[in-house]
Amino acid sequence: MAMTIHVDIVSAESEIFSGTAEMVFAPGVMGELGILPRHAPLLTQLKPGEVRVKNGDSEESFYVSGGMLEIQPHVVTVLSDTAVRAHDIDEAAALEAKQKAEDALKDKTSEFEYAKAQSELAEAVAQLQAIKKLKSRGR
Amino acid sequence: MAVGKEIRTKINSIKNTQKITRAMEMVAASKMRKAQERMAASRPYAQKMRNVVDHLAHAHPEYKHPYLEERDVKRVGYIVISSDRGLCGGLNSNLFKRTVASMKEWHDQGKEIELCTIGSKSSAFFARLGGNIVAQTSQLGDRPEIADLIGVVKVMLDAFNEGRLDRLYVVYNDFVNTMTQAPKIEQLLPVEKKEDKELEHHWDYYYEPEAKDVLDALLVRFIESQVYQGVVENLACEQAARMVAMKSASDNAGDLIGDLQLVYNKARQAAITQEISEIVAGAAAV
């Protein structure tokens, strides 16, 4: 039997593939990688593309939108991204998060107002009840 | 019959409440199962990441990443993960209590604190408390995605890169089991080294293209996956806590209905007895 290497393809949200393969192809940032068993330890980034897991004649392929690739002599791990990453997009997301924080601070009143309104309402209800009681007693 | 009309209305209203709490209990139970699955699904990634990062912390690449190095603590950051909605028992308040206690320790040492809140409960709480919130996100729903967290995590990481923060913690509820959820404070940055002799080996990876770029990308993803894991775990906790809270609410409603029913029956009986005795007395008088 041909030598095999263990392959794990995982993303932050789920496990995509786990099994053995004779050869793995992955789209590294520096170019396509073909990985055979006993590959030297390597850590690299992936660019969007196809990861192919080859077993004899059959071949399975998975699309990754980027991520990391870790190779050890008998284990290949693909840490796939689930989100499209780009510096600009990340930057925009960070700005949005900051904006939201500022809004939340400005919005300090809302929760507070709510509590205040609630207590005022309770007071009003109590007053109404008292008036009702007085009226029925007066009759 | 006019007897005990108030009691009957009260019983009906409690019954309606009980219906709602029972429905919420069942919804929470099914959501909890899904959240638990999601928790399990994201674990392999976090585990793999952890392994690689542990290795990196012990390897000796030509480039030392700032995330792996301890430095003097002047300012501390917290990422506080809470639920978006209430009605889940003491889940959030326990978490906040723990967080505030830990924040106080730093505060007493004269350190400044920056907060990043995930979930509307924590933003509301810390906004009222007057915390220094620098980033916030909420309404992640039942299926949180990494993409929702990139922004907030980046704000904190940028602060760390700029030297505005020297330490970063993430706070969330740890799902122990359905009945138990424990607030947990975990150090994100600098990445804690695991003391393990096995990792003291002498080989290192080849990095492609450069150790710096690869480590940057990897560590950012590592932190994100840790925060994501916290969010997913907190979600499972929220559902579990809600399920338990709603179950006890339904039980309490049941008890209350029983008590009121008893009072109602007694009142009804008393009224009937009185009526009969009045009739009998009337008949005897004739």
Side-chain angles (χ1 to χ4, degrees):
Chain A
M1 206 190 112
M3 272 213 302
T4 55
I5 187 164
H6 189 83
V7 190
D8 283 315
I9 304 179
V10 291
S11 81
E13 284 153 29
S14 61
E15 188 163 21
I16 297 164
F17 176 84
S18 179
T20 53
E22 285 168 17
M23 192 166 179
V24 184
F25 299 92
V29 279
M30 304 286 283
E32 178 94 0
L33 290 157
I35 304 139
L36 287 165
R38 298 201 177 157
H39 192 288
L42 174 80
L43 200 58
T44 184
Q45 278 177 280
L46 295 178
K47 58 184 182 191
E50 205 181 17
V51 174
R52 286 178 293 147
V53 179
K54 200 179 150 198
N55 253 327
D57 292 333
S58 69
E59 201 176 82
E60 270 187 277
S61 76
F62 305 90
Y63 177 79
V64 292
S65 59
M68 307 292 300
L69 177 71
E70 188 226 0
I71 304 170
Q72 285 188 30
H74 298 287
V75 190
V76 178
T77 312
V78 179
L79 301 158
S80 148
D81 282 347
T82 42
V84 181
R85 310 292 300 243
H87 185 70
D88 294 348
I89 300 177
D90 287 9
E91 199 70 47
L95 280 178
E96 193 192 338
K98 272 187 192 163
Q99 188 57 45
K100 273 192 190 167
E102 277 163 29
D103 291 351
L105 281 177
K106 254 184 249 155
D107 214 25
K108 205 191 275 184
T109 45
S110 69
E111 189 99 343
F112 182 70
E113 297 268 313
Y114 179 70
K116 199 174 149 198
Q118 217 170 15
S119 67
E120 273 172 9
L121 184 68
E123 213 169 290
V125 168
Q127 270 174 358
L128 277 176
Q129 267 169 349
I131 291 169
K132 229 191 217 166
K133 238 180 230 169
L134 283 175
K135 265 191 183 166
S136 64
R137 213 177 286 164
R139 228 177 272 153
Chain B
M1 205 170 33
V3 175
K5 186 157 182 299
E6 293 100 335
I7 301 179
R8 249 190 348 226
T9 349
K10 190 124 203 190
I11 289 176
N12 280 335
S13 102
I14 293 173
K15 270 188 186 156
N16 285 336
T17 313
Q18 193 188 28
K19 269 183 211 156
I20 295 170
T21 55
R22 206 171 269 157
M24 282 183 78
E25 180 194 334
M26 283 189 276
V27 170
S30 93
K31 279 189 178 171
M32 184 187 75
R33 219 166 310 130
K34 280 189 201 134
Q36 266 177 295
E37 278 165 23
R38 212 158 292 131
M39 211 169 82
S42 66
R43 224 166 240 161
Y45 182 86
Q47 194 56 48
K48 288 268 155 35
M49 275 282 180
R50 180 88 237 179
N51 289 347
V52 178
V53 169
D54 274 340
H55 172 82
L56 285 176
H58 286 87
H60 313 283
E62 53 274 43
Y63 168 69
K64 271 278 176 214
H65 200 279
Y67 291 178
L68 299 172
E69 299 219 37
E70 285 285 338
R71 55 194 198 203
D72 265 0
V73 181
K74 286 191 266 331
R75 296 172 66 96
V76 188
Y78 284 91
I79 298 180
V80 186
I81 302 169
S82 78
S83 69
D84 274 333
R85 283 178 228 166
L87 289 184
C88 47
L91 188 78
N92 286 323
S93 48
N94 285 343
L95 186 79
F96 297 153
K97 243 183 260 166
R98 237 343 256 295
T99 316
V100 169
S102 153
M103 278 164 64
K104 193 175 177 304
E105 269 173 42
W106 285 113
H107 189 78
D108 288 347
Q109 293 173 35
K111 317 290 184 200
E112 281 183 69
I113 293 164
E114 280 185 24
L115 287 165
C116 158
T117 59
I118 299 176
S120 36
K121 287 287 159 191
S122 64
S123 359
F125 177 82
F126 286 104
R128 224 172 334 154
L129 202 70
N132 179 15
I133 302 177
V134 293
Q136 192 252 337
T137 185
S138 56
Q139 309 300 336
L140 299 182
D142 295 329
R143 278 162 195 274
E145 284 173 9
I146 279 271
D148 303 327
L149 301 172
I150 290 173
V152 280
V153 174
K154 188 171 163 55
V155 171
M156 296 314 262
L157 290 182
D158 282 350
F160 192 87
N161 292 340
E162 288 162 15
R164 223 158 22 91
L165 292 177
D166 305 297
R167 194 161 278 196
L168 185 60
Y169 292 101
V170 62
V171 193
Y172 62 94
N173 278 296
D174 189 25
F175 188 91
V176 183
N177 55 42
T178 317
M179 299 304 288
T180 327
Q181 296 90 31
K184 191 171 177 186
I185 299 179
E186 221 171 54
Q187 183 175 331
L188 279 181
L189 288 177
V191 176
E192 275 181 303
K193 277 193 190 180
K194 231 196 317 192
E195 290 308 320
D196 194 346
K197 280 278 174 281
E198 233 176 85
L199 287 165
E200 298 279 338
H201 38 52
H202 300 288
W203 58 272
D204 192 12
Y205 291 105
Y206 289 110
Y207 298 94
E208 221 175 80
E210 290 289 324
K212 180 181 180 309
D213 298 337
V214 177
L215 285 182
D216 274 347
L218 185 80
L219 285 166
V220 168
R221 280 170 181 73
F222 173 66
I223 302 300
E224 278 166 4
S225 87
Q226 296 274 297
V227 176
Y228 178 78
Q229 188 72 25
V231 169
V232 180
E233 198 130 334
N234 197 65
L235 191 70
C237 287
E238 180 193 344
Q239 300 302 350
R242 181 164 301 134
M243 191 180 86
V244 173
M246 286 303 121
K247 177 153 180 40
S248 69
S250 305
D251 292 350
N252 285 345
D255 291 349
L256 217 55
I257 291 171
D259 289 351
L260 284 173
Q261 195 73 51
L262 201 65
V263 174
Y264 172 73
N265 287 347
K266 270 186 189 158
R268 200 178 69 103
Q269 245 167 6
I272 292 170
T273 313
Q274 198 188 348
E275 240 170 78
I276 290 174
S277 67
E278 271 167 15
I279 293 168
V280 171
V286 172

